[in-house]
Amino acid sequence: MDKKLAYLNVVLASCLWGIIGIFVSNLYELGLSSIQIVSIRVLSTALILILYVVFRNQKSLKINLSHSWYFVGTGIVSFSLFNWCLFNTIQMTSVSIATILLYTAPAFVTIISRVVFKELLTTKKFLSLLLTFIGCSLVIGIFQNSNTAISFNGLIMGLGSGFFYALYSIFGKIALVKYDSLTVTLYTFIFASIVVTPLSELWEIAHLFKHVEIWLNIIGIGFLSTVIAFTLYTKALNTIEASRASIIATIEPVVASIVGFIVFQEELNFWQYIGIIMVITAIILVRDSKIDV
């Protein structure tokens, strides 16, 4: 894949992740809990991908059982645990603190990639990480509230969400050595579904599934913001470094803020605009792969 197309894939994936708040908010209003929404996300994604590969690309179903640890890594260790940590952080602290701690992920990816993949920790990457971290902080408004106290457990859970979120890029890149992006995405959500679904007690809200509205939001969260998004992102990892992809993906909170402004009439202030500019600058900086210093 051409590098420009790979970068575009990451940006598109991030935009699709950024609009997930629309579907999540609607599902909350319908009476679902956090773990039930996560379960619906992974289960619907797994079912959509299984149907696709059965009818269009059956060879993507074939894996070597000895490689199952790849998908334990992407589906259980990464996706399931990052969601669990994230929701706990929100409960212990606030959405703002939880979000900014989640976006420590690029730093974890860059450090781990340096060890695992021998990727260079260049000046550009360091500056991009700094701009991204400050930019995300401004976008979510964390510096505007002086009363944002955080407990030690909240901090550990928040950093855990960033760490486990980062591991998707690491395990995903390892899995792509043996399998294509469709297979990696498929088994990520099969393994995640196996773990999350039994914990969600979805059967207790079975009566809600008779409404068309819930199915429209399931399509949104499962197909648009998960199937397409993760397929685009995983495919891009074939071409570009995991650290670069992770930094570019931090456009997600920017998109989420814009969605909040347009859909939920949430106001953007001066510092949030500055934060958006900083994140976009970081993406442009890390995208330039011709000269690394």
Side-chain angles (χ1 to χ4, degrees):
M1 176 188 288
D2 179 74
K3 276 195 173 184
K4 289 183 179 179
L5 183 57
Y7 288 125
L8 179 61
N9 276 4
V10 176
V11 171
L12 290 175
S14 303
C15 290
L16 291 173
W17 286 327
I19 65 171
I20 198 171
I22 298 172
F23 312 119
V24 172
S25 295
N26 290 339
L27 290 172
Y28 272 131
E29 289 180 4
L30 290 170
L32 278 71
S33 67
S34 297
I35 189 65
Q36 287 169 340
I37 294 173
V38 174
S39 180
I40 282 177
R41 185 183 187 189
V42 297
L43 191 58
S44 62
T45 300
L47 291 174
I48 291 169
L49 289 173
I50 288 171
L51 287 173
Y52 176 80
V53 298
V54 165
F55 290 104
R56 297 294 301 272
N57 193 359
Q58 292 185 15
K59 65 180 182 180
S60 294
L61 283 170
K62 297 178 181 178
I63 63 169
N64 188 322
L65 289 179
S66 66
H67 296 156
S68 295
W69 70 270
Y70 299 161
F71 312 111
V72 170
T74 57
I76 299 174
V77 176
S78 177
F79 194 86
S80 299
L81 287 180
F82 113 68
N83 277 278
W84 180 76
C85 286
L86 178 63
F87 290 132
N88 274 283
T89 309
I90 291 172
Q91 185 177 29
M92 293 178 181
T93 59
S94 67
V95 173
S96 295
I97 291 175
T99 303
I100 195 60
L101 290 175
L102 174 63
Y103 278 92
T104 58
F108 284 118
V109 173
T110 301
I111 294 168
I112 297 171
S113 295
R114 178 71 183 94
V115 176
V116 177
F117 305 124
K118 310 303 179 185
E119 294 181 3
L120 295 176
L121 182 58
T122 65
T123 303
K124 282 186 179 180
K125 286 183 183 178
F126 177 78
L127 290 175
S128 295
L129 286 171
L130 184 61
L131 283 170
T132 296
F133 188 82
I134 298 173
C136 287
S137 299
L138 293 174
V139 166
I140 64 173
I142 193 171
F143 294 148
Q144 300 166 43
N145 185 357
S146 59
N147 298 318
T148 52
I150 178 170
S151 66
F152 178 75
N153 289 340
L155 175 62
I156 295 301
M157 278 290 179
L159 292 175
S161 69
F163 175 74
F164 290 121
Y165 186 41
L167 288 182
Y168 183 82
S169 294
I170 306 302
F171 283 113
K173 197 165 184 69
I174 293 172
L176 286 168
V177 174
K178 298 289 185 180
Y179 302 101
D180 62 23
S181 58
L182 179 58
T183 300
V184 173
T185 308
L186 169 65
Y187 280 96
T188 290
F189 289 97
I190 288 177
F191 276 72
S193 297
I194 292 171
V195 172
V196 175
T197 303
L199 301 175
S200 67
E201 299 182 338
L202 277 177
W203 51 90
E204 293 190 355
I205 57 166
H207 62 283
L208 294 177
F209 292 92
K210 64 183 180 182
H211 301 294
V212 175
E213 186 179 358
I214 196 170
W215 288 105
L216 291 175
N217 286 288
I218 287 174
I219 291 171
I221 197 173
F223 182 68
L224 292 178
S225 291
T226 309
V227 172
I228 296 180
F230 272 87
T231 300
L232 288 171
Y233 184 82
T234 307
K235 194 174 183 64
L237 289 176
N238 273 315
T239 304
I240 60 178
E241 293 178 344
S243 54
R244 290 181 185 275
S246 182
I247 293 171
I248 293 170
T250 54
I251 196 174
E252 179 187 346
V254 175
V255 174
S257 294
I258 295 172
V259 168
F261 175 70
I262 296 174
V263 179
F264 302 114
Q265 285 77 55
E266 297 174 356
E267 294 184 1
L268 292 175
N269 58 45
F270 171 78
W271 291 110
Q272 287 175 309
Y273 282 115
I274 294 298
I276 289 173
I277 292 171
M278 291 180 76
V279 172
I280 293 173
T281 301
I283 291 169
I284 294 171
L285 186 63
V286 79
R287 180 213 170 278
D288 184 7
S289 58
K290 293 179 181 179
I291 303 173
D292 276 327
V293 295

